[in-house]
Amino acid sequence: MAQLLYRLGRFSARRAWLVILAWLLALGVAGGAFLVAGGSLASSFSIPGTETEQVTDQLGEEISGVDGATGTVVFRSADGSALSEEHRSEISTLLAGLTDVDGVQDVVDPFATETQRADQQRQVEDGAAQLEAGRAQLDAGRQQLDAGRAQLDAAQQQLDAAAAQAEAAGVPSATLEAQQAQLDAQRATLDEQQTQLDAGVAELEAQSVQLDAAERLLADAAGIRTVSSDGSTATGVVVFDTDTFSLSAEVKSAVAEELDGAGIEGVDVDYSSTIAASVEGILGVGEIIGVVLAALVLLVMLRAVLPALLPLVSSIIGVGVGVAGSLAFSGVVDMSSVTPVLGVMLGLAVGIDYSLFILNRHRRQLLQGMDVHESIGLANGTSGGAVVFAGSTVLIALLALTVTGIPFLGVMGIVGAACVLIAVLVAITMTPALLGLVGMRALNKRARARLGHGAHASTAIHPMGTGRAVLTVVLAVAALLAVAIPALSMRLGLPDGSSEAQDSTQYRAYNVIAEEFGPGQNGPLIVVANLPEAVAEDEVAPTQADLADRLMEQDDVVAVAPAGVSDDRDFFAFQVVPAEGPSSVSTEQLVHALRDLSPLDGGIELGVAGSATGNIDVSEKLAAALPVYLAVVVGLSLIILIVVFRSLLVPLVATGGFVLTLFAAFGGMTAVYQDGFLADVFGVHDPGPVLSFAPIIVMGVLFGLAMDYQLFLVSGMREAYVHGVPARQAVVAGLRNGRAVVTAAAIIMIAVFGGFVFSHMAMIRPLGFGLAFGVLIDAFVVRMLLIPAVMHLLGDAAWWLPKWLDRIVPNVDVEGAELERTHPVHPAAAEQRDPELAAAR
């Protein structure tokens, strides 16, 4: 491969404009494909097979119109006074007009809802009064019947006595028979009245059951309000045709545009993240600042403007090709809004670094007197080979995300891998082309004046002290473990409105709802009940009330309201409002408690859905995938490093360092975003769970980057050891050889990733922090302190490889050492080719 890269580098340098135009053409094609075929990006995340998705699908099949996504609109008087009748009328008109937006199924008017609730309350109260009056009438009727029966019984006794006397006296009984007939007729009338009375009692009891059910349902739903107690705030609901995961950005934007243009004087209008969530641009101010910082690092390191611009130019073109090309498939592949931003983040960071590695090698060779084109070819064949290997490790780590079985995560991994692949290709083709154009100007004037003067020789190599090595290992491991402690309590979740920027409409809406109606109103749950048998029509309300009461018995439930009944009357849906917000611990516990209730007595099966449960299900599935993914990554790490370094202990040490880096990064993310440590510094105004897919993304990317730094530092140690330098001196030689470029590369990575810490997108910030903090730890603590110290302690044992394994492991010349031997820097400069190794020997 080294020879191929050497020839590719020379070709690119000699045909510079051809290569550059080819990449510009690729950029144009990718951009055009995006404009023609690109689709919308999703702001929600779904995992097939979760209970939330199953319940949502069943809900849509059983009860039409209740499975669509809902967005909340908050109306609040600017001065805190009660909304006037004029305000209410304008708000109702605005909401009604939203039904004209294509994709909006219905709206819920807060004032109509409150009126309906008041009417229901009056009906219940009137019904109770009528029931009492009916009972009084029935009691009076019963007393009259009892009195009539008593009179008939007395008359019957008198008639029976008279009949007995007449029979004893032998007097004819015709008159008595007429009287008996009259009494029998009166008794029949009383029996008929009794039947009517019994029917009235039965009807009254049935009404009492319905009234009791209505009273219980109203009491259970009392905690759900659409107008605040002081009348200053009202919440309307927009019901969409499709579910949250299928809701397009165009529909949300159309609704948001109508709301933003409402212009109701004296009323502030805000809306929830379901409506507001959209892709507001891939790059924001923070990301641009990160790129600027990277440019400054390059300028300081290279001490010349022109060479400092080369990595930036090549990486930007590579990012454009990779991201635009990936977005061209967004019309046929479900792609989240975070996906292209991840591509930008990775493409910029690795693109700059990979170009820098080749540029740095080329500049060092020029300083030693090598011809420009020969130097470009050799740099591409040596450092370019390391770039290909390093990029391959990142590719493998990102593509391995597909093994998690989580579709949106697999798409993110594929897009990220595509951007990294483009970055590698740009580095080994466009970077040599740009270097060919600038020629000797890759060095500043001062450096060009000192070519071939031997000013770049290094001092003799002295190994570090063993005591220092032991102390370094102890302190580094202890520090990393201490930083990792918060990760023991890490909770995973997806961001809600509280994590958005404080000046955003969704943040204001979330907080107003929490203040005026309770935090649980921001994430109500949907609970469905599957009955083994259908109920009669007159049993629907009592069944709803019984189920609602059962749900109200659970801790942290503040309100329950019926949401619908299937036509077959064997499927019931309820809205359950928790005590706290959708990302709280209590809500998560409530979801599990409700699911654990199933089945209820009588074989009633419960299911729980809603935005909060969707986030919980996604987070739990991702948490379950973490150990599997970690095992895959660690396994790959060991195999790759054994092949590259032909050693058993070096891969184990490198992988152990990666694991320490990983958990320290998790600890930092948990401390900042969950526990609120240094919250003001990082703009975390409302701490909450760690972004559910951040750990697995950070794990994959850090693996690739850790292997990059391991390669560029330890390969130098191996090269020195193979050339006869004692093991402990080889550690210092390799560290000296690679630390400058690794330091610059790491600072650039930190700058680029750090820019995303202050991104305009809430879901990107923890990713940016985790990657920036992870690179900081891995480069400056693990790779430059811990690994060299452990390698020093291991000595020659570090490079031990069993003979049977040595025979089957291929000899991979990643750094192109053989190519370097056949293409010396310059015959006259052979002695200066590697002064550190010469001094060590």
Side-chain angles (χ1 to χ4, degrees):
M1 184 178 67
Q3 287 288 346
L4 175 63
L5 291 173
Y6 169 80
R7 290 194 296 269
L8 180 61
R10 286 184 64 90
F11 172 83
S12 298
R14 294 181 182 278
R15 301 288 188 273
W17 285 113
L18 177 63
V19 173
I20 293 171
L21 289 175
W23 277 112
L24 292 177
L25 178 62
L27 179 61
V29 170
F34 165 62
L35 295 176
V36 172
S40 60
L41 301 176
S43 57
S44 303
F45 302 89
S46 172
I47 299 179
T50 60
E51 181 171 338
T52 296
E53 188 164 290
Q54 293 171 357
V55 171
T56 302
D57 291 342
Q58 187 181 20
L59 189 63
E61 294 171 0
E62 297 285 350
I63 307 174
S64 61
V66 298
D67 60 332
T70 58
T72 304
V73 187
V74 179
F75 303 93
R76 194 178 200 181
S77 63
D79 58 3
S81 61
L83 295 167
S84 66
E85 288 300 323
E86 183 180 355
H87 288 154
R88 292 179 174 228
S89 176
E90 291 185 68
I91 290 170
S92 297
T93 301
L94 172 63
L95 288 173
L98 294 178
T99 56
D100 295 332
V101 176
D102 188 25
V104 174
Q105 177 178 288
D106 197 6
V107 295
V108 178
D109 187 318
F111 310 113
T113 301
E114 287 297 312
T115 301
Q116 183 181 10
R117 182 193 300 275
D119 290 343
Q120 290 173 343
Q121 185 65 45
R122 282 193 297 271
Q123 289 174 5
V124 168
E125 293 172 354
D126 293 344
Q130 292 173 4
L131 194 63
E132 288 302 317
R135 286 198 177 102
Q137 291 177 356
L138 287 174
D139 288 341
R142 185 179 291 107
Q143 291 174 0
Q144 291 177 358
L145 283 174
D146 292 342
R149 288 186 186 281
Q151 291 176 358
L152 282 176
D153 291 342
Q156 186 68 51
Q157 290 176 358
Q158 293 176 357
L159 185 61
D160 291 342
Q165 291 175 359
E167 184 178 357
V171 177
S173 59
T175 301
L176 293 176
E177 290 176 353
Q179 292 177 350
Q180 182 64 53
Q182 185 178 4
L183 286 176
D184 289 342
Q186 291 176 352
R187 191 176 298 280
T189 301
L190 287 177
D191 289 341
E192 183 179 351
Q193 291 175 348
Q194 182 65 50
T195 300
Q196 293 176 353
L197 183 66
D198 291 341
V201 170
E203 183 180 354
L204 203 64
E205 287 303 318
Q207 291 177 355
S208 177
V209 170
Q210 296 295 326
L211 183 64
D212 175 69
E215 288 178 335
R216 286 190 287 151
L217 287 172
L218 279 174
D220 291 341
I224 303 175
R225 298 187 59 84
T226 56
V227 179
S228 63
S229 56
D230 62 1
S232 66
T233 308
T235 58
V237 177
V238 180
V239 183
F240 296 95
D241 288 340
T242 57
D243 61 39
T244 305
F245 307 115
S246 305
L247 186 59
S248 69
E250 289 78 10
V251 174
K252 293 186 291 184
S253 296
V255 173
E257 185 176 349
E258 291 289 330
L259 295 173
D260 290 338
I264 303 176
E265 187 175 355
V267 176
D268 296 326
V269 181
D270 291 299
Y271 37 87
S272 66
S273 55
T274 303
I275 300 173
S278 61
V279 183
E280 302 171 2
I282 293 177
L283 288 177
V285 176
E287 293 90 328
I288 294 173
I289 291 175
V291 175
V292 171
L293 289 176
L296 291 177
V297 173
L298 288 170
L299 187 60
V300 170
M301 177 188 178
L302 302 177
R303 299 181 182 181
V305 174
L306 191 57
L309 291 176
L310 299 187
L312 290 174
V313 171
S314 60
S315 65
I316 289 172
I317 291 177
V319 165
V321 174
V323 173
S326 300
L327 287 174
F329 293 94
S330 59
V332 294
V333 176
D334 292 334
M335 193 176 293
S336 73
S337 57
V338 179
T339 302
V341 184
L342 178 66
V344 171
M345 186 189 302
L346 294 178
L348 278 176
V350 302
I352 294 173
D353 274 7
Y354 292 166
S355 180
L356 174 61
F357 290 146
I358 296 173
L359 171 62
N360 184 66
R361 179 63 177 254
H362 171 59
R363 280 166 50 89
R364 194 167 71 236
Q365 291 168 171
L366 289 181
L367 286 172
Q368 295 172 352
M370 197 172 202
D371 172 71
V372 172
H373 286 171
E374 177 68 8
S375 176
I376 293 173
L378 184 58
N380 213 46
T382 53
S383 292
V387 164
V388 171
F389 169 80
S392 299
T393 61
V394 181
L395 282 175
I396 292 171
L398 289 171
L399 291 176
L401 290 172
T402 57
V403 306
T404 61
I406 300 173
F408 81 83
L409 201 58
V411 172
M412 291 176 69
I414 291 171
V415 170
C419 291
V420 172
L421 175 61
I422 297 297
V424 171
L425 295 176
V426 167
I428 61 176
T429 56
M430 191 169 183
T431 297
L434 293 173
L435 291 176
L437 288 180
V438 301
M440 292 301 296
R441 287 176 294 173
L443 301 173
N444 58 30
K445 291 182 179 179
R446 185 176 180 181
R448 292 199 297 270
R450 303 176 63 184
L451 292 181
H453 289 179
H456 311 288
S458 300
T459 58
I461 300 173
H462 301 286
M464 72 176 74
T466 300
R468 175 188 167 189
V470 172
L471 184 62
T472 299
V473 170
V474 171
L475 291 179
V477 172
L480 292 172
L481 291 176
V483 174
I485 289 175
L488 297 174
S489 60
M490 182 171 64
R491 291 178 54 238
L492 299 181
L494 290 173
D496 53 29
S498 65
S499 62
E500 298 291 343
Q502 290 178 297
D503 60 349
S504 66
T505 183
Q506 54 267 46
Y507 180 82
R508 292 192 298 267
Y510 185 95
N511 281 277
V512 169
I513 291 173
E515 292 170 6
E516 299 292 343
F517 305 99
Q521 292 273 30
N522 280 302
L525 309 176
I526 298 295
V527 177
V528 301
N530 287 279
L531 277 62
E533 295 180 359
V535 300
E537 190 170 350
D538 60 351
E539 295 177 351
V540 170
T543 302
Q544 285 180 319
D546 290 341
L547 290 170
D549 288 344
R550 187 74 176 87
L551 296 175
M552 280 294 295
E553 293 174 1
Q554 302 304 304
D555 293 337
D556 298 313
V557 173
V558 299
V560 178
V565 181
S566 66
D567 294 337
D568 296 334
R569 298 189 299 277
D570 62 351
F571 184 86
F572 290 70
F574 299 87
Q575 183 187 65
V576 177
V577 178
E580 296 186 291
S583 61
S584 66
V585 175
S586 66
T587 299
E588 182 177 349
Q589 293 172 341
L590 174 60
V591 169
H592 291 300
L594 291 171
R595 288 174 172 173
D596 291 341
L597 279 177
S598 184
L600 298 177
D601 295 339
I604 299 175
E605 298 284 346
L606 296 182
V608 189
S611 60
T613 65
N615 292 349
I616 291 170
D617 288 345
V618 169
S619 300
E620 290 181 349
K621 188 73 177 287
L622 287 165
L626 268 175
V628 176
Y629 185 64
L630 179 60
V632 171
V633 167
V634 169
L636 288 172
S637 172
L638 289 172
I639 294 171
I640 292 171
L641 293 178
I642 288 174
V643 172
V644 171
F645 297 118
R646 305 188 67 79
S647 163
L648 275 183
L649 294 181
V650 170
L652 288 173
V653 170
T655 303
F658 163 68
V659 173
L660 285 173
T661 293
L662 185 63
F663 285 106
F666 288 173
M669 293 167 64
T670 304
V672 172
Y673 291 94
Q674 181 176 305
D675 301 335
F677 179 71
L678 296 178
D680 293 338
V681 175
F682 296 102
V684 183
H685 44 77
D686 291 81
V690 175
L691 180 67
S692 57
F693 56 84
I696 203 165
I697 291 290
V698 168
M699 184 187 300
V701 176
L702 280 184
F703 164 72
L705 300 181
M707 295 308 101
D708 288 0
Y709 301 142
Q710 180 77 10
L711 173 67
F712 284 106
L713 287 172
V714 181
S715 61
M717 300 177 190
R718 173 173 170 74
E719 182 180 0
Y721 181 74
V722 169
H723 282 80
V725 179
R728 291 181 173 177
Q729 289 176 270
V731 170
V732 178
L735 186 61
R736 284 185 183 178
N737 188 53
R739 64 186 174 190
V741 67
V742 169
T743 297
I747 293 174
I748 289 170
M749 285 274 189
I750 294 167
V752 174
F753 290 146
F756 287 86
V757 174
F758 306 97
S759 172
H760 57 296
M761 298 180 67
M763 283 186 286
I764 287 297
R765 297 171 201 150
L767 279 176
F769 175 84
L771 292 173
F773 187 60
V775 169
L776 175 67
I777 290 172
D778 193 78
F780 296 107
V781 178
V782 173
R783 305 302 154 186
M784 292 194 190
L785 292 178
L786 181 61
I787 297 297
V790 174
M791 295 281 288
H792 173 88
L793 295 176
L794 290 175
D796 291 316
W799 304 108
W800 173 77
L801 186 67
K803 292 183 179 180
W804 64 268
L805 189 57
D806 185 61
R807 287 193 298 268
I808 62 176
V809 172
N811 189 6
V812 180
D813 184 14
V814 175
E815 281 281 5
E818 184 177 348
L819 175 69
E820 193 173 8
R821 285 193 293 270
T822 58
H823 294 269
V825 174
H826 191 282
E831 295 298 325
Q832 300 175 13
R833 179 174 174 270
D834 202 335
E836 291 185 355
L837 299 184
R841 287 194 290 270

